[in-house]
Amino acid sequence: MKEDVPVAPPDFQDALESLRGHRVRPELRLEEVPAPSRIAPYALALTGEVNATPGTMDPDGFLGHGRFVVLHDPAGQEAWHGTFRVIVMAKARLEDEMGADPMLGEVGWTWLTDALSEAGAGYHDLSGTVTRVLSETFGGLELRGGQVEIEVRASWTPTTTDLGPHLLAWAALTCTTAGLEPLPDNVTSLTRRR
């Protein structure tokens, strides 16, 4: 006997459709992954890996990664003040001197708010954290040395079902966190030839 699969409501279908066809930097490779299933009745999750060698998963070129999640509850959730919630994460290794900057948290948060503004993503109820992680190695790992990472986590309620700008804002945040310089308008990054 075949199980009935519930049809997604029109608003969620519109939101998913709005995520299609957007161009992101070639250094950012997107992949759909299983979405959280207990937070909302409908969800979508994407991961992104930033690699210095576009189009590959070259471990030597790994710069950072992130996650983009869309949640939808047609009944709404009080904490969201709406029926949708976008949840993002971007994480990357930093140069030691940047990791020591006392303003790093504010800088990371500005990367997010600037990306949302530049993408034209309408939102409200924005909240999140910027975390600096300092790892020191001991024993056999001492050859690798310590490292500093930044992780930006945030969520917000979009003002429309057009989530394309929110996806582009997250893509920009993930690339910025990974150390890629912003591209000027109407400029496309070129891939290196080998």
Side-chain angles (χ1 to χ4, degrees):
M1 189 162 116
K2 187 177 177 183
E3 276 188 47
D4 289 334
V5 177
V7 176
D11 280 352
F12 190 64
Q13 291 178 21
D14 290 346
L16 294 182
E17 190 61 36
S18 74
L19 296 173
R20 298 182 191 278
H22 294 282
R23 293 182 62 185
V24 296
R25 292 180 69 144
E27 298 92 345
L28 179 62
R29 183 176 172 273
L30 301 179
E31 182 178 343
E32 187 172 348
V33 295
S37 59
R38 295 187 176 140
I39 303 171
Y42 302 95
L44 168 84
L46 301 172
T47 61
E49 181 176 299
V50 182
N51 202 295
T53 310
T56 70
M57 292 181 70
D58 175 14
D60 293 333
F62 178 79
L63 300 173
H65 66 280
R67 187 170 173 98
F68 179 85
V69 177
V70 176
L71 303 175
H72 178 56
D73 186 341
Q77 292 199 15
E78 189 175 326
W80 301 354
H81 298 108
T83 60
F84 280 91
R85 193 73 175 167
V86 173
I87 302 169
V88 300
M89 183 274 293
K91 185 175 183 177
R93 186 173 178 181
L94 295 175
E95 295 175 8
D96 292 345
E97 53 279 353
M98 188 170 184
D101 186 337
M103 299 295 290
L104 181 62
E106 290 180 40
V107 169
W109 194 251
T110 299
W111 291 340
L112 170 64
T113 57
D114 285 354
L116 286 165
S117 177
E118 289 170 17
Y123 64 91
H124 59 85
D125 290 283
L126 173 65
S127 63
T129 61
V130 178
T131 306
R132 172 190 346 229
V133 178
L134 170 61
S135 300
E136 297 181 76
T137 58
F138 301 94
L141 294 175
E142 286 180 350
L143 296 175
R144 282 188 15 205
Q147 67 181 34
V148 180
E149 292 178 323
I150 184 173
E151 181 180 90
V152 179
R153 289 183 176 266
S155 67
W156 60 85
T157 300
T159 56
T160 72
T161 59
D162 181 5
L163 301 183
H166 301 268
L167 175 69
L168 295 175
W170 165 74
L173 168 68
T174 303
C175 290
T176 300
T177 302
L180 298 181
E181 293 291 326
L183 292 175
D185 290 338
N186 300 317
V187 173
T188 302
S189 67
L190 300 175
T191 59
R192 294 182 184 156
R193 292 186 183 206
R194 289 184 173 209

